[in-house]
Amino acid sequence: DGNSLTILNPAPHGDTITADAQDTEPKLVIGERMQFGALGSEDAGGRMAVGYWFPGNEGEYTYRGPIWPFQDGQVHQWRLRYHPLKDGLGQNYEVVFRFAQNESFPDCYTNGWRWAWQTLKPPVIKHDIDAVRRHIVDMLASQVETVNGRTGIPNAVFWDGEKITKRDRKAVMGFTGKNLESANFMLMESDRDTTERGKRLRPLALAIIDSFLKMKMSPPVGEGFNLDTGEPVMAIGEHKRVYLRSFGDDVKIMLKAYLRERRLGREHPEWLRWSKEFGDWLLPQQQAEGGFPRSWKPGTGEVVDASPNSSYNAVPLMVLLAEATGEVKYRQAAIRAGN
């Protein structure tokens, strides 16, 4: 109805303890060093009830691990956090509210964030971003593997505190893997750096891209490949589906790389062909109201989840296809999805 409520802790402390951060099943944790709270709301008979739970209870549904929070789904159970009853232990929490009327959703979002920023007045802490960028690109480049002509970055590495103990053998695009985005970072860095370091980065990036170009995209056979066998794989194998987000993330980046390289006089028609193959497969699946399906069975293209809630991922992809090809149908699809 145009009314909105924004809730803020004006003096936040994010302190917590290992037992809170690493539990994989919802369980009771008691510790005096947990200093954060959880904001929540619920429909109470047509009226909104809001609350602040400290020190950070979560419910009534909560996620469980172990590898990432949502892999093993939700449980209908509270994740309970308490402070001990202890002489001399003091607690102090403060919550402030912003009430607004007749704001559009974008205005509510923007004004809420600006109110929070003005309330908290966080200091601007300057960092050497060039150094950060160089080190991150070098870290990514150090993990590139080539096996029997296939090149990629493992989806994950496992670290015991001193060394890498195991490597995930999947090289995947988008969302968790970002192989093509990582390749694009290396291409950009190679143009910035004229030393031997820059010269070494470009072949690594091109090899990753060439390896992904071998994947069929109409319909997609997977979100990546096994570095050892070359077999198509999915980022979350047990789901047995491919997600729009994976392609929205990295096909978008492929098109950005294509356009940048073209501006620099380097033609890569195969990059555009591969990106267009996916775009042309996706385009006829646009729904009457403008959305796109969320996921499909790999190799068949059968829709698994028709929900349009991931359609935002298609918008930049279609805009960039329109720019790369000059074909208006892609831009029209982007506008429909955006609307």
Side-chain angles (χ1 to χ4, degrees), residues 134-154:
R134 287 194 304 272
H135 285 298
I136 289 175
V137 172
D138 288 344
M139 181 276 292
L140 289 170
S142 74
Q143 298 304 311
V144 174
E145 293 188 42
T146 298
V147 183
N148 295 330
R150 294 177 295 272
T151 302
I153 300 175

Side-chain angles (χ1 to χ4, degrees), residues 8-319:
L8 177 71
N9 179 344
H13 296 283
D15 301 9
T16 189
I17 58 178
T18 302
D20 167 58
Q22 296 185 355
D23 66 327
T24 57
E25 292 288 341
K27 60 187 178 185
L28 170 66
V29 176
I30 301 172
E32 61 185 75
R33 292 193 294 122
M34 293 183 290
Q35 296 295 315
F36 61 96
L39 299 168
S41 67
E42 64 181 5
D43 184 347
R47 301 172 68 87
M48 182 167 62
V50 298
Y52 184 75
W53 289 269
F54 51 86
N57 291 320
E58 179 191 346
E60 62 188 67
Y61 286 92
T62 186
Y63 290 112
R64 59 186 178 190
I67 297 181
W68 46 71
F70 47 83
Q71 179 183 352
D72 293 328
Q74 294 177 327
V75 289
H76 191 178
Q77 184 178 340
W78 278 78
R79 189 181 298 271
L80 297 171
R81 300 291 181 263
Y82 292 112
H83 286 151
L85 287 173
K86 179 180 176 181
D87 287 343
L89 176 61
Q91 302 177 58
N92 182 54
Y93 296 89
E94 184 178 355
V95 182
V96 292
F97 301 90
R98 174 185 180 269
F99 297 91
Q101 294 178 314
N102 302 318
E103 285 183 330
S104 67
F105 176 74
D107 287 340
C108 167
Y109 197 85
T110 299
N111 294 338
W113 273 103
R114 288 177 176 168
W115 167 73
W117 187 273
Q118 291 161 1
T119 301
L120 296 171
K121 295 182 173 60
V124 176
I125 302 172
K126 295 186 177 182
H127 298 278
D128 185 347
I129 300 300
D130 285 342
V132 172
R133 188 197 71 244
R134 287 194 304 272
H135 285 298
I136 289 175
V137 172
D138 288 344
M139 181 276 292
L140 289 170
S142 74
Q143 298 304 311
V144 174
E145 293 188 42
T146 298
V147 183
N148 295 330
R150 294 177 295 272
T151 302
I153 300 175
N155 196 41
V157 296
F158 297 83
W159 178 261
D160 68 0
E162 296 181 358
K163 63 183 182 301
I164 292 173
T165 59
K166 186 172 68 170
R167 298 173 189 270
D168 186 340
R169 304 312 296 158
K170 299 192 298 282
V172 297
M173 68 178 87
F175 198 19
T176 66
K178 301 276 189 176
N179 259 253
L180 294 175
E181 186 162 355
S182 298
N184 186 46
F185 288 151
M186 288 183 249
L187 286 177
M188 295 169 70
E189 191 71 5
S190 71
D191 285 332
R192 293 188 184 102
D193 188 343
T194 58
T195 68
E196 288 302 313
R197 171 179 172 271
K199 293 176 184 177
R200 183 176 62 85
L201 290 171
R202 186 171 181 83
L204 292 175
L206 294 177
I208 292 173
I209 292 171
D210 288 345
S211 297
F212 276 85
L213 292 184
K214 298 171 185 174
M215 291 185 59
K216 184 177 177 237
M217 297 286 276
S218 178
V221 295
E223 294 163 326
F225 53 88
N226 184 295
L227 281 162
D228 298 324
T229 67
E231 289 296 311
V233 298
M234 290 146 283
I236 309 175
E238 59 271 25
H239 287 189
K240 296 180 173 57
R241 65 186 71 178
V242 294
Y243 288 94
L244 175 59
R245 176 171 177 180
S246 295
F247 302 98
D249 283 353
D250 262 14
V251 178
K252 170 188 72 178
I253 294 298
M254 178 73 103
L255 287 163
K256 285 188 174 185
Y258 169 81
L259 290 165
R260 189 186 65 254
E261 290 271 301
R262 189 171 72 177
R263 287 193 295 270
L264 294 171
R266 304 170 187 143
E267 293 293 339
H268 301 281
E270 69 281 9
W271 296 8
L272 181 58
R273 176 202 59 75
W274 184 81
S275 303
K276 195 171 182 295
E277 182 183 338
F278 177 76
D280 287 342
W281 174 78
L282 181 64
L283 202 58
Q285 300 187 63
Q286 189 163 28
Q287 298 159 355
E289 293 186 352
F292 290 94
R294 182 169 182 252
S295 64
W296 304 265
K297 287 185 179 179
T300 71
E302 179 185 343
V303 173
V304 175
D305 185 350
S307 166
N309 67 1
S310 190
S311 300
Y312 66 92
N313 288 288
V315 174
L317 187 158
M318 292 295 177
V319 169

